[in-house]
Amino acid sequence: MLKLEGITKAYGKDLILDKISLQVGPEIKALIGLNGCGKSTLLKIVAGTIQPDSGRIFLGDEEITHLPPERRHIGYVPQRPALFSNLTVEGNIRYGMRNGRGSEEWFRTLVELLDLEHVLNKKPRELSGGYQNRTSLARSLAPNPRTILLDEPLTGMDIALKEKMLPEFKRALQKAGVPVLFVTHDPHEAKLIADSFAVMSNHQIKSVDSAEEAFELMRQE
C-alpha cells in the first residue's frame, strides 16, 4: 500500500498541493488532471526528489517521507525516456538490476511482456519512440520496486500507438503486483490502463468512479 497523508507543497505564494491524501493498493490508479495542476510535483515528492512542506508518505508500514530516493525502492518512468545512449536495450534494463536486485526470470518475463526480444542488442538511437518507452518501463520494473510512478509516459504518441501499447504496459504493471500511480491528462488513456481513478483539481485530489467522471470535473475548472 502506498499512502499519502496531508501532503502540502507551495513555491513562495503559489500553492501547488493542499493537504493531499491518497491511498494506492496493488492496483493501477490513474491520477487525471490538466497540465500544470501539480501531478508531476506529487510524483517527485513520492519519489523523494522534492520534499513536501508538510505531510507524510508511507509504503506499507514504513514511513519514507524523509528517506533519500535510492532507499525508497520506487520505480519512476518519466515523460521522456531517459535511456543511457551508450548502452543497449538489454544494458539499460540490466542497469536497473544492479546491486543484486531483480532476477533473471523476471528480466525474461519483462522482455517477453513488452516485446523486446528482437531489440535487446540495439542502442536507444536505433529505436522508435514506442520501443524507447517499452525499454524505459522495463528498466523501472526490473529491480522489483515497491511501487511504480509513471509521469505521462506516452506523451507525444499518436492515439493508434497508445491504444496498442497501453494494454502491454497494463499487463507488465499487473504482473509486478505493486501499487502503480499513472499520471495523465487524458481520460481515454486512463480508461485503457487503470483499475481505479482519481482527479487532481484545485490543488487537491478526489477519488472518482470512472475516467468519464474525472473528465467532467476537469471541464468544470
Side-chain angles (χ1 to χ4, degrees), residues 190-204:
K191 186 176 181 179
L192 288 173
I193 196 169
D195 303 307
S196 62
F197 308 89
V199 63
M200 180 173 281
S201 176
N202 296 319
H203 317 297
Q204 297 183 329

Side-chain angles (χ1 to χ4, degrees), residues 18 36 50 56 62 66 73-74 81 89 100 110 117 120 124 139 152 159 172 184 213-214 216:
D18 185 14
I50 295 176
R56 300 192 297 172
E62 180 186 8
H66 302 295
H73 303 306
I74 290 175
V89 167
L110 289 172
E117 295 98 330
L120 286 175
R139 185 176 66 181
E152 306 211 41
I159 293 174
T184 180
E213 185 179 351
E216 287 303 316

Side-chain angles (χ1 to χ4, degrees), residues 84 87 90-98 139:
F84 297 111
L87 297 180
E90 181 169 358
N92 269 280
I93 298 170
R94 289 191 183 279
Y95 182 85
M97 300 170 66
R98 65 198 189 282
R139 185 176 66 181

Side-chain angles (χ1 to χ4, degrees), residues 176-189:
V178 299
V180 176
L181 192 54
F182 185 97
V183 157
T184 180
H185 65 275
D186 183 346
H188 179 66
E189 186 175 291

